[in-house]
């Protein structure tokens, strides 16, 4: 038993490091930093948390574990390690954005929750067991609910957190109900055992598919389960909103792909135009199409840039669901590239919004008037982030969409297959360019409200945003830097 326990610690070493760092942050803030200013406390705790995340990455790179424990309850392989490193990297960028924050007196508690949510994501991507998946999701979700409500000076922050919590509780109930049916059909919580037991579609399995899609549709903000997203994106503290929009998406989409492609491989069905066959593929295809159409069309009329990014996230969830519908190795490769580069661009965009908000008091479109003359570097980075989200070459967002659409077409060789969904996605991408350009027009064309007034930009925020913009350009111009790593990890992990 002691050997198994030591093996578990070795397998979960990144998670152990992050949890230990979270506890250390809490102790340091409570005992040593209470008399310091808010900015000093945020800077010290954030740097300490970054060091912990870097240590966890080092453990994955220098001493990676391989194999599994207790069946597939705990996994360690190159693919899991890659996704965990991506999650930790996005967490680090989020923590660096909090360095200049001052939205709460409970600094240690906020950073503690960020690290706790990260721990949930690390466990979430390192398992093929329904019980661990659900427990990890709830650890992640509960942390995010509380983080959303941390801005006590903003009443809408508490309102958004309450909506998030209520919708999240309902989605968790649906997800647990679906998981319980899958357990009943297979007598196992292992995705591999479930896959071996399910062949074809039964009425009970249809219920399990629908409830599982509902549960994960909420987690990834796919329509029509996206109602929490605009309020949360608009009202949560900037670091919390950036974290919800980036790191949690990586973990949620990865495990959603695994459940559908591995656990329900024998009940996939088809989504070819006018030739739908029973299974989970047509259900996810309907959600993807609705997400792309609703997200892009509603984003056009938004006057809040945060809400615009929320509806943009709904649309991007639709694009990423196309990879799940294809459910091949190439589709997973495309999904991981897309969601990681999307996370980089989204964190960067929220970093820019945070600076503008601190100066103007809001995130409305007119707050960005003349940004290029008030903060040239910041506006140049915003230009990179938004055009990447729109899918303009040579940025990472363009290659991400191109690779995702091509992999979807190759998923069903010899037939039109998912062509209708890809055509819809391309059309909606063209629509998205309009509302992204609305923001850039304000930043680069419209005159500033006060001529000659420069925008004060904290040095750390400016550096983080610049690094993120450089990463978006680099991975777009040289996609193999990231893609080769992903494909090697997939091949080494048996996909």
């Amino acid at each position: 038993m002691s050997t198994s326990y030591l093996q578990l610690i070795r397998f979960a070493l990144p998670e152990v490091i992050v949890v230990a760092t979270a506890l250390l942050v809490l102790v340091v803030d409570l005992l040593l930093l209470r008399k310091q200013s808010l900015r000093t406390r945020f800077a010290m705790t954030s740097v300490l948390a970054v060091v912990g995340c870097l240590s966890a990455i080092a453990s994955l790179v220098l001493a990676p574990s391989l194999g599994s424990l207790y069946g597939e309850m705990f996994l360690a392989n190159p693919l899991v390690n890659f996704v965990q490193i991506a999650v930790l990297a996005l967490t680090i960028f989020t923590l660096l954005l909090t360095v200049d924050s001052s939205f709460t007196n409970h600094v240690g508690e906020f950073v503690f929750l960020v690290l706790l949510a990260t721990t949930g994501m690390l466990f979430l991507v390192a398992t093929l067991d329904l019980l661990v998946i659900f427990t990890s999701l709830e650890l992640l979700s509960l942390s995010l609910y509380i983080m959303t409500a941390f801005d006590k000076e903003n009443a809408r922050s508490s309102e958004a957190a309450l909506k998030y919590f209520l919708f999240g509780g309902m989605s968790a109930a649906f997800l647990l109900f679906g998981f319980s049916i899958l357990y009943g059909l297979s007598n196992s919580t292992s995705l591999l055992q479930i896959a071996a037991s399910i062949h074809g579609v039964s009425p009970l399995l249809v219920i399990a598919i629908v409830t599982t899609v509902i549960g994960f549709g909420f987690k990834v903000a796919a329509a029509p389960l996206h109602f929490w997203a605009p309020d949360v994106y608009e009202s949560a503290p900037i670091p919390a909103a950036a974290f919800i929009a980036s790191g949690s998406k990586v973990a949620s989409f990865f495990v959603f792909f695994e459940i559908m492609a591995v656990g329900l491989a024998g009940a996939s069905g088809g989504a070819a135009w006018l030739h739908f066959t029973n299974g989970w593929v047509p259900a996810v295809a309907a959600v993807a199409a609705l997400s792309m159409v609703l997200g892009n069309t509603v984003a056009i009329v938004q006057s809040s840039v945060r809400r615009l990014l929320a509806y943009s996230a709904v649309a991007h969830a639709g694009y990423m669901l196309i990879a799940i519908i294809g459910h091949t190795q190439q589709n997973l490769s495309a999904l991981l590239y897309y969601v990681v580069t999307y996370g980089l661009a989204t964190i960067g965009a929220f970093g820019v919004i945070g600076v503008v908000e601190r100066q103007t008091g809001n995130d409305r479109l007119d707050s960005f008037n003349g940004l290029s003359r008030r903060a040239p570097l910041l506006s140049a980075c915003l230009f990179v982030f938004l055009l990447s989200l729109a899918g303009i070459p040579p940025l990472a967002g363009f290659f991400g969409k191109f690779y995702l659409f091509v992999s979807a077409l190759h998923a069903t060789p010899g037939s039109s297959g998912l062509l209708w969904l890809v055509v819809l996605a391309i059309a909606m991408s063209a629509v998205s360019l309009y509302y992204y350009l609305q923001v850039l027009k304000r930043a680069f064309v419209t005159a500033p409200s006060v001529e000659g007034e420069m925008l004060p930009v904290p040095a750390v925020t400016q550096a983080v945003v610049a690094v993120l913009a450089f990463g978006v350009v680099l991975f777009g111009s040289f996609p193999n830097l990231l893609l080769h790593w992903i494909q090697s990890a997939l091949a080494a992990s048996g996909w």
Side-chain angles (χ1 to χ4, degrees):
M1 192 68 182
S2 60
T3 303
S4 296
Y5 185 74
L6 290 176
Q7 285 180 332
L8 179 59
I9 294 296
R10 181 172 60 83
F11 267 66
L13 185 57
E15 291 90 336
V16 171
I17 292 172
V18 174
V19 170
T21 304
L23 295 173
L24 180 61
V25 163
L26 203 57
V27 170
V28 168
D29 182 61
L30 290 174
L31 299 183
L32 303 178
L33 300 177
R34 278 301 184 187
K35 295 182 180 180
Q36 303 295 324
S37 67
L38 283 181
R39 292 188 184 278
T40 300
R41 290 169 61 196
F42 264 112
M44 295 294 290
T45 54
S46 297
V47 169
L48 185 58
V50 167
V51 171
C53 290
L54 288 173
S55 301
I57 291 176
S59 73
L60 289 167
V61 174
L62 301 177
S65 300
L66 295 174
S68 62
L69 283 181
Y70 312 117
E72 292 76 36
M73 192 166 284
F74 297 102
L75 284 178
N77 57 49
L79 179 60
V80 168
N81 292 347
F82 168 80
V83 180
Q84 289 182 328
I85 290 171
V87 166
L88 288 165
L90 293 173
T91 302
I92 288 171
F93 286 122
T94 302
L95 288 167
L96 290 174
L97 286 183
T98 68
V99 167
D100 296 297
S101 299
S102 57
F103 56 84
T104 179
N105 288 320
H106 303 284
V107 177
E109 292 89 330
F110 181 82
V111 177
F112 174 82
L113 285 169
V114 172
L115 294 175
L116 211 60
T118 303
T119 304
M121 289 188 279
L122 295 179
F123 276 119
L124 181 61
V125 303
T127 184
L128 288 176
D129 187 271
L130 294 182
L131 284 177
V132 181
I133 287 173
F134 183 78
T135 305
S136 303
L137 269 176
E138 289 311 293
L139 174 59
L140 168 62
S141 299
L142 289 171
S143 301
L144 296 182
Y145 303 153
I146 302 169
M147 286 166 59
T148 302
F150 247 80
D151 189 353
K152 298 300 181 183
E153 296 180 0
N154 182 4
R156 298 186 66 179
S157 177
S158 299
E159 180 186 344
L162 181 59
K163 290 180 181 178
Y164 195 12
F165 172 72
L166 292 176
F167 278 116
M170 291 174 61
S171 76
F174 276 107
L175 190 62
L176 191 58
F177 184 59
F179 283 0
S180 67
I181 294 176
L182 292 177
Y183 173 75
L185 292 172
S186 61
N187 199 32
S188 174
T189 57
S190 167
L191 290 181
L192 297 181
Q193 293 298 320
I194 291 171
S197 303
I198 292 177
H199 304 284
V201 180
S202 64
L204 266 180
L205 185 59
V206 170
I207 298 173
I209 289 171
V210 171
T211 52
T212 301
V213 170
I214 288 173
F216 274 101
F218 169 85
K219 302 299 180 186
V220 301
L225 305 154
H226 67 286
F227 295 111
W228 60 272
D231 289 329
V232 170
Y233 277 53
E234 183 182 26
S235 305
I238 282 289
F243 193 62
I244 292 167
S246 57
S248 66
K249 293 289 181 71
V250 174
S252 298
F253 270 107
F254 179 71
V255 75
F256 193 12
F257 189 103
E258 283 191 322
I259 288 174
M260 294 305 184
V262 177
L264 299 177
S268 58
W273 182 247
L274 298 180
H275 292 88
F276 292 89
T277 54
N278 290 338
W280 59 264
V281 166
V284 177
V287 173
L290 181 60
S291 298
M292 290 185 287
V293 173
L294 187 143
N296 283 305
T297 52
V298 178
I300 292 175
V301 299
Q302 301 304 313
S303 58
S304 160
V305 178
R306 287 224 223 176
R307 290 184 77 87
L308 183 149
L309 285 181
Y311 283 106
S312 164
V314 175
H316 282 279
Y319 304 143
M320 287 183 262
L321 287 174
I322 296 175
I324 296 177
I325 295 165
H327 64 280
T328 65
Q329 177 186 340
Q330 189 181 21
N331 289 125
L332 180 54
S333 174
L335 175 63
L336 289 175
Y337 179 92
Y338 193 110
V339 74
V340 170
T341 54
Y342 169 80
L344 294 176
T346 304
I347 292 177
F350 271 105
V352 177
I353 292 170
V355 174
V356 174
E357 268 191 1
R358 278 196 292 269
Q359 180 67 17
T360 65
N362 63 71
D363 68 317
R364 303 188 71 81
L365 281 171
D366 53 16
S367 299
F368 289 79
N369 289 352
L371 184 64
S372 61
R373 278 163 271 184
R374 295 187 291 155
L377 177 60
L378 211 62
S379 57
C381 293
L382 182 65
F383 180 85
V384 170
F385 299 138
L386 295 186
L387 289 188
S388 179
L389 292 174
I392 301 300
L395 305 174
F398 167 76
F399 182 80
K401 286 184 178 178
F402 175 79
Y403 186 38
L404 191 146
F405 297 158
V406 169
S407 66
L409 293 177
H410 287 171
T412 52
S415 70
S416 59
L418 301 178
L419 178 62
W420 68 275
L421 209 51
V422 171
V423 170
L424 178 62
I426 293 172
M428 290 297 103
S429 295
V431 172
S432 72
L433 185 60
Y434 172 79
Y435 56 79
Y436 290 128
L437 287 178
Q438 282 286 88
V439 182
L440 294 178
K441 175 190 171 185
R442 297 279 186 164
F444 287 90
V445 178
T446 308
S449 304
V450 182
E451 289 290 345
E453 182 183 346
M454 296 299 291
L455 200 65
V457 183
V460 174
T461 301
Q462 189 161 259
V464 171
V465 169
V467 169
L468 288 167
F470 175 75
V472 170
V473 175
L474 182 67
F475 290 136
S477 303
F478 304 98
N480 269 338
L481 292 174
L482 184 59
L483 204 55
H484 178 71
W485 188 6
I486 294 172
Q487 292 173 338
S488 299
L490 284 167
S493 304
W495 272 86

